[in-house]
Amino acid sequence: MVYPYQIQSLSDYKKAYQQSVEDPENFWASVANHFTWHKKWDKVLDWNFTDPKIEWFQGATLNITENCLDRHLEKNGNSPAIIWEPNDPNEKPRILTYSKLHEKVCQFAQVLLNNGVKKGDRVCIYMGMIPELAIAVLGCARIGAIHSVIFGGFSAQSIADRVEDAQSEFIITCDGAYRGAKDIPLKNVIDDALIGNKTVKKVIVYTRTRTPISMLKGRDIWWEDEMRHVEEMGIHTIPAVEMNANDPLFILYTSGSTGKPKGVVHACAGYMVYTNYTFVNVFNYQPAQIHFCTADIGWITGHSYIVYGPLSAGASSVMFEGVPTWPNAGRFWDIVDKYQVNILYTAPTAIRSLMGYGLWPLQGKNLSSLKVLGTVGEPINEEAWNWYNEQVGKNKCPIVDTWWQTETGGCLISNIAGITPSKPGWATLPLPGVQPVLVDDKGNEIIEMEEGVYKGNLCIKFPWPSLLTTTYGDHERCRTNYFATYPNLYFTGDGALKDEQGFYRITGRVDDVLNVSGHRIGTAEVENAINMHAGVIESAVVGYPHDVKGQGIYAFIIHNNTESDESLTRKDIIQTVSRVIGPIAKPDKIQFVNGLPKTRSGKIMRRILRKIAEGETENLGDITTLLDPGVVEEIKKGYI
Ligand code: PRX
């Protein structure tokens, strides 16, 4: 496949950027012209940030799976679409060519139809990183069902909340999943999640670990049986359902500053065009290259840069079931060597954790196939950037630092591999179509530099094609979360710096959202979970700098009856959080306190707690507005 919209030089970038700002509609129409549509659009963009209303390619109809699969069959049917590396390196890998993947997706789509799934139905997917996860996602898209993938580390309670919020009647899962040395009993978790549930009609179960599981008559069915049945019917392909451009493609739940995760909705056409455009450009993808994104499909990175972006570009996408440190810390490098990976896209937290093992895991591994390296999910520190550059890229691979979010669908600010300059720790320039602006707390654009940089809250002033269209079932929430803080701007929740060259550096969240190992977790969500534990009266959670995770979770807790061995109460609280949210949200530090620093109006002053959690005891700022400044002294003394 060739990509006529691929940026070839710095001047090309400048031209594309300028056109995308001056004439966004024609700019995106000229990209979109290279996709397969049933009907082209009447209007490229209809928008306002007040409602908000964001509709790209209005009037067009399409199916994203025809763009990810069918259109590659003739020329690239035999090239690998998914290269799957199992958790256990001794197990046989699986390579699904475009033809094979197309067939499996069609057959699974038929399974969904046979079980009563219709266009617009919400299907929750809770699986490990196996090809069937991609098949399930694409199978839903084939028939217009809205997939909601739930990361395999979330608890039964989190699943129940998501199933309920999306009113899902269908679930696709596995008996279990392998992750490093662990077997995770996914189906058991689903069973717990569905206790008392009356809406779920069918649970489709794929056998991966052959763990003993219960199968409820009439509700639970085996993937393999259903697929065999379709095979026996002689079905190898089915037509794709024609979707309106702005029909939802999927929901992905993500944490915000309030307690309840919200279902970010992406629409079919815009998401497709933008993930493809950014995949091809940011990584400077060349036909036949092997792309390895190490994310999990449970997160947006996996959706956009394992599944939809690479497949819509006809690329070969490596999908890895396991973890970077099992059976040893050389696993990524083995995979790069084994499949001659050209593009490696991972998270700073993974780099930092692998750095900690020294250089032996890299010894004897041939990494010479690598052409481009990428990072995503959190700010990358200079030490990790240098290590990645020197030890992995051997100083010859550009590193793209891609800044984006679940809500943005694809990368918004990033250098372009080999084309625009990089600067360690800086995401650098906005991609074509992206118009960032830094504002102060009142929403005024920052026009003065402070110590050589502009510094403010990062907003975007014009839509790009994969901006979220709503939050599922609650459009008002979408408005208040993203479009109400500053009128006529999309507010990212991040703070950023801009230098004299116009490069951006993302400094982290300015709201009550933590970024732990690149995973987004709301402080309110963790507090709600902690508060469910018997004896907890109140809690406040903040982030603190953590060498590997980027941010760790520090919880200050008022408890009415800690045991003489406080560590037991701590363990119980951690267990509670694990059950309510999942192990990813477990606090790293718990400090029991008698009081929290509150203003006279009862608001917790997190600023003070954040400073204490960072180990700062002297410059806590103004504490005179506190109801009881004495609590601060006590908290300082108890710092862990
Ligand atoms: O704070 C930013 C950080 O991750 C947040 C988005 O998290 P999520 O929706 O889970 O998506 C992660 C993968 C796209 C952002 O608000 N973030 C993401 N990428 C970067 C980053 N921070 C700094 N540099 C990045 N490259």
Side-chain angles (χ1 to χ4, degrees), residues 301 377-379 401-406 494 506 509 515 520:
T301 309
E378 49 177 317
D401 179 348
T402 65
W403 171 81
W404 55 296
Q405 310 178 296
T406 305
D494 279 322
I506 313 306
R509 305 287 304 195
N515 190 333
R520 235 164 101 168

Side-chain angles (χ1 to χ4, degrees), residues 3 5-6 275-285 309 313:
Y3 318 105
Y5 42 83
Q6 191 164 39
T275 51
N276 175 287
Y277 181 82
T278 50
F279 171 71
V280 163
N281 280 301
V282 169
F283 302 104
N284 196 2
Y285 184 80

Side-chain angles (χ1 to χ4, degrees), residues 85-105:
E85 169 71 6
N87 182 56
D88 179 349
N90 297 315
E91 189 182 337
K92 210 164 152 273
R94 285 167 62 192
I95 295 182
L96 281 86
T97 61
Y98 272 93
S99 303
K100 195 57 172 176
L101 183 60
H102 176 263
E103 181 186 43
K104 292 283 167 209
V105 167

Side-chain angles (χ1 to χ4, degrees), residues 391-410:
Q391 306 303 337
V392 182
K394 315 289 181 202
N395 294 308
K396 69 173 181 56
C397 301
I399 299 178
V400 290
D401 179 348
T402 65
W403 171 81
W404 55 296
Q405 310 178 296
T406 305
E407 295 83 350
T408 72

Side-chain angles (χ1 to χ4, degrees), residues 215-227:
M215 291 290 281
L216 195 69
K217 197 182 282 170
R219 186 194 71 182
D220 299 350
I221 52 177
W222 294 107
W223 172 298
E224 293 81 355
D225 289 348
E226 296 295 306
M227 286 292 261

Side-chain angles (χ1 to χ4, degrees), residues 8-81:
Q8 308 288 349
S9 63
L10 187 58
S11 68
D12 246 18
Y13 160 75
K14 288 184 181 154
K15 235 172 39 206
Y17 188 77
Q18 194 180 358
Q19 196 207 346
S20 77
V21 172
E22 284 169 5
D23 188 3
E25 298 201 19
N26 276 321
F27 177 80
W28 288 114
S30 70
V31 175
N33 269 325
H34 299 283
F35 291 76
T36 300
W37 302 90
H38 283 237
K39 176 180 170 288
K40 287 216 176 148
W41 46 92
D42 304 317
K43 192 168 190 245
V44 179
L45 173 63
D46 187 0
W47 74 288
N48 71 66
F49 278 172
T50 324
D51 296 342
K53 176 183 190 181
I54 302 128
E55 292 193 9
W56 283 90
F57 308 111
Q58 218 176 42
T61 63
L62 77 155
N63 187 291
I64 196 168
T65 68
E66 290 181 319
N67 286 275
C68 288
L69 300 169
D70 304 56
R71 69 168 169 159
H72 307 310
L73 294 181
E74 199 181 319
K75 285 206 181 122
N76 287 321
N78 292 326
S79 62

